[in-house]
Amino acid sequence: NAGVTQTPKFQVLKTGQSMTLQCAQDMNHEYMSWYRQDPGMGLRLIHYSVGAGITDQGEVPNGYNVSRSTTEDFPLRLLSAAPSQTSVYFCASSYSRRGTGNTIYFGEGSWLTVV
Amino acid sequence: KNQVEQSPQSLIILEGKNCTLQCNYTVSPFSNLRWYKQDTGRGPVSLTIMTFSENTKSNGRYTATLDADTKQSSLHITASQLSDSASYICVVSPLSNDYKLSFGAGTTVTVRA
């Protein structure tokens, strides 16, 4: 049971390049999400999904795309990287019983620098 | 304006001592309040989850309290250890959407020998 696995751990991009952050979970969780963490700020929700084929926007979705073709995977795509997207990205997952306070499990993070 | 405010921003304590971290929130109505521990360079790990009807929840040396009337929560660390050095994050889920969590910026705790 690996939990939530994110790749890559570190990445440097040039402005305008595109890339995909990978996220996979092996706990059969319905809910998956992507957050970014910036210095001095709380984690902010980018996109989330409550099941295969279902995605929705979070607080800061601009410049990012997601898809959920399987229960296990939830990749985050940066369409045209900008320096403002330099951040630490976390993928998270949980069972999808709303309102019951399910434990949310986080990946180890992906450090992205856009130059 | 952030709906979850944590204080202090950082603190230093000696090994073996106790400390209390504060969380004030404006999310209302809310579904549950969580505390997470985040080691440097790692992802957050869940410590406690409390629903709006719970007043306290413990996890080993960590005890969280909740006062829904004043919209305040605290996390008490007892007999601190060097491994407690981390950032502690308060997270509140709105009742309208349990998935759209509001995160505090965290309190960085440094435990010194």
Side-chain angles (χ1 to χ4, degrees), chain A residues 11-49:
Chain A
Q11 182 73 49
V12 179
L13 281 179
K14 293 183 178 179
T15 298
Q17 286 185 319
S18 63
M19 76 158 297
T20 299
L21 299 178
Q22 302 290 345
C23 176
Q25 52 87 14
D26 60 358
M27 298 174 280
N28 200 31
H29 285 167
E30 296 157 314
Y31 170 76
M32 296 186 74
S33 57
W34 277 101
Y35 294 87
R36 60 178 288 173
Q37 186 175 40
D38 299 296
M41 301 179 67
L43 275 76
R44 291 182 292 170
L45 181 64
I46 303 172
H47 286 285
Y48 68 100
S49 168

Side-chain angles (χ1 to χ4, degrees), chain B residues 8-49:
Chain B
Q9 190 172 20
S10 63
L11 66 93
I12 300 172
I13 59 174
L14 292 177
E15 189 178 15
K17 299 297 184 181
N18 304 336
C19 69
T20 300
L21 315 180
Q22 300 293 339
C23 173
N24 294 338
Y25 61 92
T26 59
V27 178
S28 183
F30 77 100
S31 172
N32 54 74
L33 186 145
R34 313 162 192 254
W35 283 93
Y36 278 82
K37 178 186 180 188
Q38 185 176 21
D39 293 321
T40 301
R42 307 293 297 274
V45 175
S46 180
L47 290 176
T48 62
I49 303 173

Side-chain angles (χ1 to χ4, degrees), chain B residues 38-87:
Chain B
Q38 185 176 21
D39 293 321
T40 301
R42 307 293 297 274
V45 175
S46 180
L47 290 176
T48 62
I49 303 173
M50 292 181 290
T51 66
F52 62 88
S53 61
E54 294 180 291
N55 299 118
T56 185
K57 186 69 70 77
S58 290
N59 179 356
R61 294 178 298 101
Y62 301 101
T63 299
T65 63
L66 173 63
D67 185 335
D69 291 333
T70 62
K71 296 185 174 58
Q72 294 180 326
S73 177
S74 64
L75 181 69
H76 187 75
I77 305 175
T78 303
S80 61
Q81 301 176 358
L82 296 178
S83 60
D84 292 330
S85 295
S87 178

Side-chain angles (χ1 to χ4, degrees), chain A residues 9 31 35 37 40-43 45 48 50 57 90 96 98-104 106-108 111, chain B residues 2 31-32 34 36 38 41-46 49 51 89 95-101 103-105:
Chain A
K9 181 79 171 180
Y31 170 76
Y35 294 87
Q37 186 175 40
M41 301 179 67
L43 275 76
L45 181 64
Y48 68 100
V50 297
Q57 295 182 350
F90 288 97
S96 185
R98 290 184 64 177
T100 58
N102 301 306
T103 297
I104 297 176
F106 287 85
E108 290 299 315
W111 273 252
Chain B
N2 196 2
S31 172
N32 54 74
R34 313 162 192 254
Y36 278 82
Q38 185 176 21
R42 307 293 297 274
V45 175
S46 180
I49 303 173
T51 66
I89 302 172
L95 188 62
S96 59
N97 188 330
D98 195 37
Y99 302 125
K100 291 192 172 181
L101 310 176
F103 287 77

Side-chain angles (χ1 to χ4, degrees), chain A residues 20-98:
Chain A
T20 299
L21 299 178
Q22 302 290 345
C23 176
Q25 52 87 14
D26 60 358
M27 298 174 280
N28 200 31
H29 285 167
E30 296 157 314
Y31 170 76
M32 296 186 74
S33 57
W34 277 101
Y35 294 87
R36 60 178 288 173
Q37 186 175 40
D38 299 296
M41 301 179 67
L43 275 76
R44 291 182 292 170
L45 181 64
I46 303 172
H47 286 285
Y48 68 100
S49 168
V50 297
I54 305 170
T55 64
D56 204 351
Q57 295 182 350
E59 181 184 357
V60 288
N62 292 341
Y64 307 94
N65 271 358
V66 292
S67 60
R68 185 91 179 271
S69 56
T70 67
T71 299
E72 295 78 19
D73 300 299
F74 191 46
L76 178 72
R77 282 181 287 277
L78 280 71
L79 309 173
S80 177
S84 60
Q85 293 179 303
T86 293
S87 187
V88 184
Y89 292 85
F90 288 97
C91 180
S93 74
S94 75
Y95 288 111
S96 185
R97 294 168 295 159
R98 290 184 64 177

